[in-house]
Amino acid sequence: MNFAIIGCGVIAETHAKALRALEAEGCHLHAVCDVVPEKADAFSARHGVETVYYTDEDVLADADVEVVCVCVPSGAHGDVCMMAARAGKHIVCEKPLEITPERIDRVIGEVRRCGVKMQCIFQRRIMPAAVAVREAVRAGKLGKVCLADAQLKYYRDQAYYNSAGWRGTWELDGGGALMNQGVHGVDLILWMLDKPVATVYGRAETLARDIPVEDTAAALLQMQDGSMCVIEGATTAYPGFSTTFSLYGEKGTVSFDDTGVREWNFLDPEDAPPRPDASLRIGGAKSNVDITIDGHILLLRDMMQAVRDGREPMIPPEDARKAIDVICKIYRSSRAGAPVAF
């Protein structure tokens, strides 16, 4: 199955390495594209890709391309995804799918109208601990989960924001610590809790970096069943800390971070689910270049199989909307100084 990467920035390296790891299974990086010719040429040389394009229109006109990996700046995801859908290409889109729920809705509409498959990259959902926690919640092993929290304490210095003109902007990044780095954790805690949000009360501030968007944020989510979820997000936490997720229930508590399980305690040990392993690493807390390829390998493999089997990929675009809706409401709440209802 022939893949093309559109956008040859930092995250494109992860996609290229993951596709190389999947080559024996049938994934082939056929082409790369970037509107900056020097970037496209250098990227293709590094990864041994012979076909290079410098416009989105040209790569999407290549009949040999079956799947495109969209790795352009966040605020340009939607336009490229809709162009790809109209060209009949299946799509793998980096997070966030887009920077507002309304723009995501337009992408979803076009993807469904054109009948193509779409996979969104939220690789933390593949972590064995996250899968085990979601299953435990759904099976009632924790009882009512009254409190949960996601600690998303990254570090990005000013040089990171200066390294590309789109970083840390409302127009193309859609926000800061929450929308770019924290979106993974927001998606994951919502996915594990698996229940609707009622209200959001948040603060998003710029405290240390010379950017218009937030570098530090905190929010309280009240769920429709009355339970609470606290989200902390930052790119100001030196040197960057392992992202940590905790769920506290009336019958048990579970907590894990990037290194593995920290707490796995149940009121009834005989009814406790098996303690998950920590075999899948994600990374990214200290730097945007220390992300592992493990999660991307699994999601790209799933995309190939979904196309072959005619089924939905693991993370369809409707799933990718939820975290963006919450983050945008945190921003609204911060500006208003009051809770925002769903």
Side-chain angles (χ1 to χ4, degrees):
M1 188 169 292
N2 284 331
F3 286 71
I5 293 175
I6 301 179
C8 295
V10 173
I11 198 60
E13 297 285 341
T14 304
H15 283 253
K17 291 172 183 175
L19 288 169
R20 174 68 62 84
L22 290 167
E23 197 154 14
E25 299 180 36
C27 291
H28 174 63
L29 181 51
H30 166 74
V32 298
C33 174
D34 198 285
V35 295
V36 180
E38 295 80 8
K39 285 179 65 176
D41 290 341
F43 189 92
S44 66
R46 279 196 304 277
H47 295 283
V49 183
E50 293 184 1
T51 307
V52 185
Y53 295 104
Y54 308 120
T55 71
D56 300 339
E57 292 81 3
D58 285 345
V59 68
L60 293 174
D62 186 336
D64 290 329
V65 172
E66 298 165 86
V67 184
V68 295
C69 295
V70 178
C71 300
V72 298
S74 303
H77 283 176
D79 288 342
V80 176
C81 288
M82 289 189 287
M83 287 175 60
R86 293 176 196 130
K89 311 299 184 185
H90 303 292
I91 305 159
V92 175
C93 185
E94 261 300 330
K95 59 78 189 168
L97 172 51
E98 250 292 355
I99 58 176
T100 70
E102 296 77 15
R103 288 162 75 161
I104 290 178
D105 288 341
R106 290 196 289 271
V107 174
I108 292 172
E110 200 67 7
V111 165
R112 297 308 178 202
R113 185 185 71 81
C114 297
V116 298
K117 307 292 183 188
M118 187 174 200
Q119 177 88 286
C120 301
I121 298 292
F122 279 122
Q123 69 267 34
R124 287 190 177 276
R125 291 193 188 189
I126 311 296
M127 296 172 68
V131 173
V133 169
R134 178 175 163 91
E135 291 175 351
V137 169
R138 288 190 148 191
K141 301 292 187 180
L142 297 172
K144 182 174 182 177
V145 178
C146 301
L147 179 66
D149 60 63
Q151 299 178 31
L152 317 170
K153 298 172 182 177
Y154 292 77
Y155 184 73
R156 299 290 187 269
D157 60 13
Q158 189 63 45
Y160 162 82
Y161 290 106
N162 295 342
S163 67
W166 66 276
R167 296 191 191 280
T169 66
W170 288 113
E171 296 79 12
L172 286 175
D173 216 354
L178 289 178
M179 186 64 81
N180 191 308
Q181 289 78 24
V183 65
H184 279 294
V186 176
D187 171 78
L188 192 64
I189 196 73
L190 294 173
W191 184 70
M192 291 188 297
L193 287 172
D194 194 29
K195 52 186 173 181
V197 182
T199 61
V200 172
Y201 188 25
R203 299 297 300 172
E205 306 289 350
T206 311
L207 301 179
R209 303 288 173 250
D210 184 18
I211 52 176
V213 298
E214 87 285 358
D215 57 23
T216 309
L220 173 64
L221 280 57
Q222 185 155 32
M223 317 308 278
Q224 286 187 8
D225 67 356
S227 62
M228 291 175 279
C229 175
V230 177
I231 295 172
E232 299 174 280
T235 52
T236 51
Y238 180 81
F241 296 86
S242 183
T243 53
T244 305
F245 305 89
S246 303
L247 285 76
Y248 306 92
E250 57 179 344
K251 292 169 56 179
T253 292
V254 293
S255 179
F256 66 94
D257 61 17
D258 293 335
T259 65
V261 175
R262 297 168 52 159
E263 295 285 344
W264 197 258
N265 294 318
F266 292 83
L267 187 62
D268 182 358
E270 293 184 1
D271 191 46
R275 186 184 181 99
D277 66 29
S279 58
L280 181 64
R281 298 284 192 268
I282 299 299
K286 299 178 186 296
S287 165
N288 62 317
V289 297
D290 72 348
I291 298 169
T292 69
I293 67 171
D294 295 354
H296 282 72
I297 288 174
L298 290 170
L299 289 175
L300 287 166
R301 177 190 290 126
D302 178 73
M303 182 61 175
M304 177 180 65
Q305 293 170 345
V307 173
R308 287 178 173 172
D309 298 342
R311 61 167 173 83
E312 279 292 286
M314 191 177 295
I315 307 177
E318 289 83 358
D319 270 22
R321 186 187 190 280
K322 298 171 185 177
I324 308 308
D325 197 8
V326 167
I327 291 169
C328 287
K329 283 182 169 61
I330 292 172
Y331 293 155
R332 280 179 54 196
S333 174
S334 184
R335 289 191 290 267
V340 171
F342 275 69

